């Protein structure tokens, strides 16, 4: 398994500002993922964060809005840029282990006013 | 394209009774199937998975799931429900030959409510 922490756990932000979310894993992992869970909804994959290369974004998500960094095998950041109330969601970091299982962090609860 | 259906938005069960949360899937290749649970204000916790082998998979907290290839289903079950099992349950799938690598597709979730 993997132990994943995220910072901040929650935040309230003003529209037009940006927030950077950090994800730390207790072991080295090849693939890290960022998901969004809008209120009352399921999880939607934003992007896959690859160490040493650009993140791979899913349809509907762009790098200008959600820039991602992956400086090493245990850490990644997701920035939510120029926020609007529609960005209010839970943002979840996830990693895949050698057991073919994805483990999730506790999430960052974002409210944009 | 892969997809997951959880036909019930909510399942209500009396404590001590058996529970079933339904999941059907569509995927190319052999399926890798997962169940996760989300408690209020928490992230997703892994419950169990089917990769290969026995169709009946046992997981955390007394949960189990049965893989049925002919019905493309992976229903979550527990013989005796507890009030503390009340949470949101997600089924997820990916194919063993997914080009994108490990990309999971999630169902819409089923809210389980266990009452005294």
């Amino acid at each position: 398994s993997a132990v994943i922490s995220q910072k901040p756990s929650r935040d309230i932000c003003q529209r037009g500002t940006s927030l950077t979310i950090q994800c730390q894993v207790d072991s080295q992992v090849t693939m890290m993922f960022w998901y969004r869970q809008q209120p009352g909804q399921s999880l939607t994959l934003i992007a896959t964060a690859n160490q040493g290369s650009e993140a791979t974004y899913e349809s509907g998500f762009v790098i200008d809005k959600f820039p991602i960094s992956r400086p090493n095998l245990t850490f990644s950041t997701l920035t939510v840029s120029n926020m609007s109330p529609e960005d209010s969601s839970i943002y979840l970091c996830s990693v895949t282990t050698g057991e073919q299982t994805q483990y999730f962090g506790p999430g960052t609860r974002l409210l944009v006013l | 394209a892969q997809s997951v259906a959880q036909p019930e938005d909510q399942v209500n069960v009396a404590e001590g009774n058996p529970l079933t949360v339904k999941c059907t899937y569509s995927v190319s290749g052999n399926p890798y199937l997962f169940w996760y649970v989300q408690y209020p204000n928490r992230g997703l916790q892994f419950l169990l998975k089917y990769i290969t082998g026995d169709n009946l998979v046992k997981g955390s907290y007394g949960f189990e799931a049965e893989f049925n290839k002919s019905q493309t289903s992976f229903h979550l079950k527990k013989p005796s429900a507890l009030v503390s099992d009340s949470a949101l349950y997600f089924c997820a799938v990916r194919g063993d030959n997914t080009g994108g690598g490990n990309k999971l597709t999630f169902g819409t979730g089923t809210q389980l409510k266990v009452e005294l």
Side-chain angles (χ1 to χ4, degrees):
Chain A
S1 66
V3 177
I4 305 167
S5 60
Q6 287 185 234
K7 289 181 181 179
S9 59
R10 60 180 65 238
D11 207 342
I12 301 173
C13 301
Q14 297 298 318
R15 69 171 67 210
T17 62
S18 298
L19 176 72
T20 295
I21 302 167
Q22 299 179 6
C23 177
Q24 180 76 52
V25 190
D26 68 340
S27 58
Q28 295 185 338
V29 294
T30 303
M31 303 185 78
M32 297 179 77
F33 306 88
W34 287 99
Y35 288 83
R36 181 174 72 182
Q37 185 180 21
Q38 293 178 301
Q41 303 290 320
S42 184
L43 279 77
T44 301
L45 180 64
I46 298 171
T48 303
N50 308 303
Q51 196 270 335
S53 64
E54 293 283 332
T56 304
Y57 289 83
E58 297 299 303
S59 175
F61 297 96
V62 295
I63 187 170
D64 289 346
K65 176 67 176 178
F66 297 102
I68 287 171
S69 78
R70 180 83 196 272
N72 57 52
L73 292 174
T74 63
F75 187 79
S76 178
T77 67
L78 169 76
T79 299
V80 186
S81 303
N82 188 25
M83 288 184 285
S84 67
E86 292 71 35
D87 294 319
S88 298
S89 293
I90 302 173
Y91 292 86
L92 294 142
C93 171
S94 171
V95 304
T96 300
T97 68
E99 311 151 344
Q100 306 285 352
T101 302
Q102 274 196 29
Y103 293 94
F104 287 81
T108 295
R109 281 148 186 81
L110 172 61
L111 177 63
V112 184
L113 301 176
Chain B
Q2 54 196 39
S3 65
V4 175
Q6 294 183 242
E8 301 154 318
D9 291 336
Q10 181 161 320
V11 170
N12 297 320
V13 178
E15 188 175 52
N17 283 359
L19 69 87
T20 298
V21 182
K22 296 179 181 176
C23 171
T24 58
Y25 66 91
S26 174
V27 70
S28 58
N30 293 315
Y32 291 179
L33 293 154
F34 304 84
W35 276 102
Y36 291 87
V37 59
Q38 186 176 36
Y39 296 98
N41 299 313
R42 304 284 293 275
L44 267 68
Q45 293 181 32
F46 168 72
L47 272 181
L48 50 79
K49 67 183 177 187
Y50 172 83
I51 303 294
T52 186
D54 289 341
N55 290 342
L56 184 64
V57 177
K58 294 187 183 296
S60 306
Y61 312 120
F63 283 93
E64 58 189 30
E66 186 164 13
F67 170 62
N68 188 316
K69 188 173 183 177
S70 63
Q71 297 185 6
T72 61
S73 67
F74 190 56
H75 301 331
L76 181 70
K77 300 182 179 184
K78 188 174 182 181
S80 179
L82 298 172
V83 172
S84 57
D85 293 329
S86 298
L88 185 58
Y89 290 80
F90 288 100
C91 181
V93 69
R94 74 171 182 92
D96 64 350
N97 60 354
T98 300
N102 293 296
K103 267 199 288 190
L104 283 178
T105 297
F106 284 84
T108 51
T110 298
Q111 185 69 48
L112 173 66
K113 187 173 182 181
V114 182
E115 299 168 308
L116 291 170

